Amino acid sequence: MPGTLQATAKAEWKRLARQLHQLGALTELDRAVLAAYCQAYGRWVEAERKLKETPTLLKTPAGYVQPSPWLAISNKSVDLMHKFAAELGLSPASRSRVTTRPLGPKPWEFASNDTDDEFFS
């Protein structure tokens, strides 16, 4: 897991990585796509929390009404999540298009005593 992920994104990584691997739908090559999905998820959660604390529409000092910047962040994050989710097979429709492989030796293991803890943590 990339160290740059925020806490919510790390939790999502841990939740998804093991499940995707068990399905045979995740390899080390998918690290960046999974990380990007998880980071977008983390930003979406943060934006939604902020939207609960602040109004959706804000009045500017000049008196104009405009949408909260958190709304734009939430919407953009959902768009990104949707794109990455399709790549990872996270929706029922996209899952039917993802090729899985039987579980066996993990492709990122180079020694017999390696564990998958580094990849999934």
Side-chain angles (χ1 to χ4, degrees):
M1 167 185 346
T4 56
L5 295 180
Q6 59 170 297
T8 306
K10 286 180 181 180
E12 184 69 352
W13 175 286
K14 289 177 182 179
R15 185 182 79 81
L16 287 177
R18 194 166 305 278
Q19 290 182 50
L20 288 170
H21 175 68
Q22 287 172 348
L23 290 172
L26 184 67
T27 71
E28 191 174 13
L29 295 173
D30 306 312
R31 181 177 186 256
V33 174
L34 180 58
Y37 171 85
C38 292
Q39 195 73 324
Y41 174 83
R43 286 190 181 122
W44 172 69
V45 169
E46 179 184 9
E48 289 299 315
R49 285 183 185 146
K50 295 291 185 179
L51 283 168
K52 283 184 176 181
E53 300 168 5
T54 61
T56 304
L57 297 175
L58 305 172
K59 197 170 202 175
T60 68
Y64 296 102
V65 176
Q66 68 180 31
S68 166
W70 293 111
L71 184 59
I73 293 168
S74 176
N75 290 338
K76 181 62 177 177
S77 296
V78 167
D79 286 344
L80 289 171
M81 287 167 52
H82 184 262
K83 289 176 185 176
F84 294 126
E87 294 293 322
L88 293 165
L90 297 180
S91 70
S94 66
R95 199 166 21 258
S96 68
R97 295 187 298 269
V98 172
T99 303
T100 59
R101 58 177 169 63
L103 286 178
K106 296 164 191 79
W108 55 88
E109 289 183 341
F110 297 101
S112 61
N113 62 352
D114 287 347
T115 67
D116 59 7
D117 290 341
E118 182 179 320
F119 186 77
F120 294 116
S121 62

